[in-house]
Amino acid sequence: MNSLSAFAELRFGMFLHFNMGTFTDEEWAAPHQDPKLFAPTAVDCEQWAAAAVAAKMSYGVLTAKHHDGFCLWPSAHTDYASRDDIVERYVSAFRAAGLKVGLYFSIWDRTAGVQAPPRFGVAADQAVRPHHVTFVLDQLTELLTRYGPIDLLVTDGYAWQMGQRAVPYQRIRETVRALQPGIVMIDHAGLLEPFVGDAIYFEEPLGITAPPGNTYAGVQGQTISDGWFWHPSTPTEQLMSKADILHHLADLEPKYVSFLLNCPPNRDGVLDGNIVARLAEVAESWPGPDLSRPPLPPQPPRVEYPVTPAGAYASAGQDADNAIDGLCAQDHESSWSAGELPQSLTVDLGELWSGISALEYLPRQLERDADDNGDVTACTISTSVDGLTFAPVATAAWAADRTMKFARWPAVDARYVRIEVAAAAGGYAFIGNLRIGGEATLPTRKGRK
């Protein structure tokens, strides 16, 4: 799979939450538990794949690592891992069944200490250190080099826990793309805009669903049972009804959104009979993909090769760094804002780069008013190599709405990029999740200036 158009054709998939939480009866397993607690007796990935094929699904996604950090493969970088390579067994079974394979990987690792305050009880003295970044990249390298082509990488515990600057999105994306050029990247972030990856993830249990008229390539995740992981009550639950599953498929297909239905394996490592039976019932009534659906519409332009900024400063307002920390969730967004326009926000890329050609940012996503949201509607973008002399490279006129904003210009050498806001809805500027870099080519370092 090498394009969002191909990804949009997947339509229906199986999410497999199978990890330490399966054995501890926890949705978020506690960290630092005894690895021997993970003790499936009869893992049958072929049964998972057969159930997926019978339901007319086209792909799977396995929780290779959840927030507690336990790995479903024997990682060389931690002892908190399975001795049995569940990832290999899953990939082999699904690929043999003709299914695409996806992996879920939590950046947030509470056993390894890859976390940042202040969200979710993380202590104020904790921070992501360089060795944590190396650890994350090393584990991703294991997953993306051991098992052949991986079609989909779903990250979690990232934008909403620590932001995409603490563990630099630039380094994650460059590593993943170098190892698996055709992979599609998605992050759980609780947004309605596809900012934190190639496609968008709608997490239905949080109340986030694909809106009417959506044309972004995406996935909507929901669980067939009461919880993402298996619980002792799962075998006797009523489960999500056949009618509800069919409704989801009918609703999401014209929106170019795949339905990713979680089917949690039990402590033996197999799907319970009630889950297998429900999937079979769905298959009897669902005719399969609607091949008459028009192709995926053109997707928004993106900063495909972002550069991790060193910092930011502004002519007014507070917390300019909030514009670049990449922290966003269904209940929180980090941003810079300033009134009494015009105002400017300047981003320091840390060193001189060649090939700087684009930026993107998210307007306010939460608690939007009718016409007072700080959406930037007119600005000038300038660049500088030394922070003293700036040259304009682009002007932008954007609609006052929540959609991601994008600007491009001929590639230049730059260390500093400045947005001079001339007009914005409500008379003040609101900028969050700002990315700067190359639209189509990878910028290269030229050193400090």
Side-chain angles (χ1 to χ4, degrees):
M1 186 166 61
N2 56 14
S3 72
L4 289 179
S5 294
F7 169 75
E9 296 303 318
L10 295 181
R11 315 292 176 109
F12 193 20
M14 179 181 284
F15 212 168
L16 293 148
H17 274 71
F18 183 59
N19 206 287
M20 184 61 75
T22 307
F23 295 86
T24 62
D25 198 19
E26 297 170 295
E27 287 292 278
W28 286 5
H32 304 289
Q33 302 200 61
D34 184 350
K36 293 179 182 178
L37 289 174
F38 181 82
T41 57
V43 175
D44 190 348
C45 297
E46 286 75 16
Q47 185 234 18
W48 307 351
V53 169
K56 303 176 185 174
M57 293 174 169
S58 55
Y59 69 105
V61 177
L62 174 68
T63 53
K65 187 174 79 164
H66 206 249
H67 306 322
D68 62 298
F70 187 79
C71 302
L72 291 190
W73 76 99
S75 174
H77 306 289
T78 181
D79 294 329
Y80 197 52
S82 172
R83 294 183 179 180
D84 185 8
D85 196 338
I86 307 297
V87 172
E88 193 280 329
R89 296 173 67 172
Y90 152 75
V91 168
S92 295
F94 272 60
R95 193 173 287 142
L99 299 163
K100 301 292 185 182
V101 292
L103 296 175
Y104 166 109
F105 180 89
S106 176
I107 303 292
W108 187 19
D109 186 325
R110 293 181 293 155
T111 294
V114 186
Q115 54 187 357
R119 293 175 62 75
F120 302 100
V122 177
D125 62 351
Q126 290 194 269
V128 176
R129 308 295 184 189
H131 73 275
H132 291 134
V133 177
T134 299
F135 171 78
V136 170
L137 295 175
D138 285 345
Q139 287 204 320
L140 282 171
T141 297
E142 288 180 330
L143 286 174
L144 299 178
T145 58
R146 291 184 179 180
Y147 307 109
I150 302 298
D151 301 290
L152 177 64
L153 176 67
V154 179
T155 53
D156 197 359
Y158 192 16
W160 59 263
Q161 199 287 322
M162 65 193 71
Q164 292 190 322
R165 184 181 171 205
V167 175
Y169 182 67
Q170 174 189 10
R171 296 190 65 187
I172 296 289
R173 190 168 181 83
E174 288 178 5
T175 298
V176 171
R177 288 287 193 210
L179 298 174
Q180 295 275 350
I183 203 167
V184 172
M185 298 175 65
I186 294 178
D187 187 60
H188 287 212
L191 299 179
L192 295 175
E193 292 292 313
F195 172 75
V196 290
D198 299 314
I200 189 167
Y201 181 84
F202 301 99
E203 190 162 358
E204 186 175 340
L206 297 180
I208 302 163
T209 58
N214 177 75
T215 57
Y216 295 140
V219 166
Q220 185 162 309
Q222 177 60 288
T223 184
I224 198 171
S225 58
D226 185 16
W228 290 108
F229 284 96
W230 184 91
H231 298 284
S233 61
T234 303
T236 56
E237 283 183 29
Q238 293 299 311
L239 303 180
M240 189 178 189
S241 70
K242 178 184 77 171
D244 198 3
I245 295 172
L246 292 171
H247 170 76
H248 277 73
L249 290 167
D251 173 65
L252 295 175
E253 191 169 37
K255 299 176 181 177
Y256 302 94
V257 174
S258 168
F259 186 35
L260 183 56
L261 181 62
N262 182 62
C263 300
N266 62 27
R267 290 174 182 170
D268 290 330
V270 299
L271 297 175
D272 288 322
N274 59 341
I275 292 178
V276 174
R278 182 55 42 83
L279 294 177
E281 292 171 6
V282 169
E284 290 176 357
S285 300
W286 187 49
D290 177 8
L291 301 181
S292 69
R293 186 187 72 177
L296 179 71
Q299 298 296 282
R302 302 295 305 276
V303 178
E304 294 290 345
Y305 302 95
V307 171
T308 303
Y313 59 93
S315 58
Q318 297 180 343
D319 301 321
D321 272 0
N322 285 355
I324 58 173
D325 64 11
L327 183 61
C328 52
Q330 82 280 359
D331 60 352
H332 175 83
E333 59 185 333
S334 188
S335 66
W336 164 78
S337 63
E340 299 183 7
L341 302 178
Q343 300 288 354
S344 67
L345 174 70
T346 303
V347 177
D348 178 4
L349 300 178
E351 56 188 313
L352 187 63
W353 292 80
S354 66
I356 302 300
S357 64
L359 68 76
E360 62 188 28
Y361 95 92
L362 279 185
R364 181 189 296 276
Q365 297 297 298
L366 305 178
E367 299 178 353
R368 289 184 62 87
D369 297 321
D371 56 6
D372 185 24
N373 298 297
D375 305 333
V376 176
T377 55
C379 70
T380 298
I381 300 163
S382 304
T383 63
S384 172
V385 298
D386 58 9
L388 300 174
T389 303
F390 284 80
V393 292
T395 58
W398 292 315
D401 59 29
R402 71 188 307 158
T403 60
M404 185 173 58
K405 308 308 179 188
F406 179 86
R408 63 165 64 92
W409 56 87
V412 297
D413 293 352
R415 172 172 172 172
Y416 301 89
V417 178
R418 175 171 292 169
I419 304 174
E420 299 174 88
V421 181
Y428 73 100
F430 182 106
I431 294 178
N433 295 288
L434 175 64
R435 283 205 191 118
I436 296 166
E439 178 184 5
T441 58
L442 181 69
T444 57
R445 290 180 174 87
K446 300 191 72 174
R448 292 193 175 273
K449 184 72 175 179

